[in-house]
């Protein structure tokens, strides 16, 4: 599913939600890659519908970092949850690289905390 998203600065990007590969990719209208967010589908009998998604990697620093802090990552997470119907989580900021390769670096810990406050992830 592709969706146009208007950033806080008024630019438009295309967010492409790939349900099969659990990936959200972002590009400008001219096709320049902004980045992507990857999720792993986790089977868990205690989760609604028996599954949840875990955010494992987020890189939205392409296009000379001009799209950072524009609401794009939050919209990617919101759309992924809406399209798949699965709850989403992320690793805690413990500084470790987890078995699935996920870890929080840069701005990610503060961003993940905001996602939790907004109840977009658990």
């Amino acid at each position: 599913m592709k969706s146009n998203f208007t950033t806080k600065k008024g630019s438009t990007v295309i967010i492409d939600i790939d349900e099969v590969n659990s990936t959200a990719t972002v590009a400008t209208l001219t096709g320049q890659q902004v980045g992507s967010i990857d999720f792993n589908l986790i089977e868990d009998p205690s989760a609604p519908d028996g599954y949840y998604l875990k955010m494992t990697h987020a890189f939205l620093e392409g296009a000379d970092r001009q799209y950072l802090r524009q609401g794009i990552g939050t919209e990617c997470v919101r759309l992924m949850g809406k399209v798949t119907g699965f709850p989403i989580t992320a690793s805690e900021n413990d500084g470790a690289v987890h078995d699935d390769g996920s870890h929080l670096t840069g701005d990610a810990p503060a961003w993940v905390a905001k996602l939790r406050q907004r109840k977009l992830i658990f």
Side-chain angles (χ1 to χ4, degrees), residues 26-101:
V26 182
T28 66
L29 293 177
T30 61
Q32 184 178 17
Q33 293 300 305
V34 174
S36 64
I37 301 178
D38 299 328
F39 302 83
N40 280 346
L41 182 63
I42 309 292
E43 186 173 3
D44 181 348
S46 67
D49 297 325
Y51 295 93
Y52 67 89
L53 291 170
K54 183 176 182 186
M55 188 178 354
T56 57
H57 297 91
F59 179 83
L60 297 171
E61 298 177 6
D64 296 325
R65 301 175 55 93
Q66 65 182 329
Y67 291 96
L68 288 176
R69 296 182 194 90
Q70 295 301 303
I72 296 169
T74 301
E75 182 66 3
C76 287
V77 171
R78 188 189 73 74
L79 286 173
M80 183 62 75
K82 179 181 176 182
V83 168
T84 65
F86 296 130
I88 299 172
T89 193
S91 296
E92 293 299 321
N93 182 20
D94 58 9
V97 176
H98 297 265
D99 291 341
D100 59 10

